[in-house]
Amino acid sequence: MTSKIVAIQGNHPSKLNPKSDTSIFLANEIQNKYKIFYYEPKNLSIINSKIIAEGFFIKFNYKSKNFFKIFKKQKLNLETCKFILIRQDPPFNLEYISTTYILDQIKKKVRIINDPTSIRNISEKLYSAKYKKFMPNTIFSQNIDEIKNFFKISKNVIIKPIHSFSGNDILLLNKFDQKIINKFIKKHDHIMCQKFLSKIKDGDKRVFIIDGKVAGAISRVPKKGSFLSNLSKGAVPINVDLTKKELKISNLIAKDLKKENIYFSGIDFIDQKLNGDINVTSPTGLKTFFDLSNINLAKVFWKGLKA
């Protein structure tokens, strides 16, 4: 019989912002019912055929300046947990992939959110290629001639690393610059090139999907002079409704992700067009949504898991 433990695989709590962090929000909702065990990906091991994590039990407190308290450091056999939340920041790198292979070995004994096989198979940007008809003109390539042709058609272009996160390393180019793009490819290999949508100035929409259903949405308006809608880049969140078109696309993707064993995800729209980020590794925004709407999607999250 499993004990009443929820394990969180994430960045050290000292690196988290309690005002906006979704991992803390999810833990806070369930910590009166389950003990919260926290560990970093680097501290996950296979020892004598057991999946062991070196970490600590923790309690979060929104009312305290020191928003977390570590109670007991120890090594834990993760098979004793009821749930494991994979919540570290991407990038989707080799360490990330290694942890999914390790956790694969116990996923039939412990409910892991999101499923480690699924997040390994779903590249957040490349997966969006199957929804190309809902997106701005977009290519994925490292072929300089293909990228040059794309610029001729699309003019202003956003280029993104395929495996980065939080708006990091994203560039807006108003003309083809081979030197810049060669340098970008050398650093990131395949890249995503997308026609720039000027209406990003009015904000994008982040849609929250839980257990195959659209659960809510917020808009994020870039700060003045920026084209980045990430909250970590200074964007301002506001309450928002989805259009019929956005809701139809969101419901379609939600059903597909449920078939892929993705329980919790986030997708983004700009000017009613899917921007190509299907966030499945560590979706964010639930605390911000609660602050704006007073709707607690952490309750929805745990209720769906029958926690």
Side-chain angles (χ1 to χ4, degrees), residues 5-17 21-24 27 35-41 43 53-60 67-70 72-76 78 81 85-89 282:
I5 298 173
V6 172
I8 299 177
Q9 176 177 292
N11 305 87
H12 194 276
S14 62
K15 297 179 180 178
L16 306 180
N17 181 357
D21 188 79
T22 294
S23 302
I24 297 172
K35 293 179 180 178
I36 306 297
F37 181 79
Y38 207 103
Y39 69 95
E40 295 181 72
N43 294 324
E54 186 171 355
F56 42 81
F57 285 96
I58 190 172
K59 272 245 177 184
F60 293 100
F67 63 92
F68 67 90
K69 184 176 181 181
I70 294 172
K72 184 181 180 183
K73 295 183 179 181
Q74 71 173 72
K75 294 178 182 178
L76 183 71
L78 292 184
C81 298
L85 306 186
I86 300 177
R87 292 292 312 167
Q88 77 264 29
D89 285 338
S282 183

Side-chain angles (χ1 to χ4, degrees), residues 142-193:
Q142 58 175 308
N143 183 297
I144 200 71
D145 292 328
E146 294 289 355
I147 294 170
K148 187 175 183 178
N149 288 334
F150 184 82
F151 268 80
K152 288 178 182 178
I153 297 168
S154 299
K155 311 302 180 189
N156 293 340
V157 172
I158 292 285
I159 61 172
K160 304 180 184 182
I162 287 174
H163 300 298
S164 190
F165 68 105
S166 292
N168 296 327
D169 296 325
I170 295 177
L171 297 180
L172 169 58
L173 299 178
N174 57 19
K175 64 178 181 179
F176 178 78
D177 188 317
Q178 186 158 335
K179 185 176 180 181
I180 290 175
I181 293 172
N182 276 334
K183 185 177 179 180
F184 203 80
I185 290 170
K186 185 175 182 181
K187 182 178 180 181
H188 299 292
D189 298 319
H190 279 77
I191 63 174
M192 179 180 181
C193 301

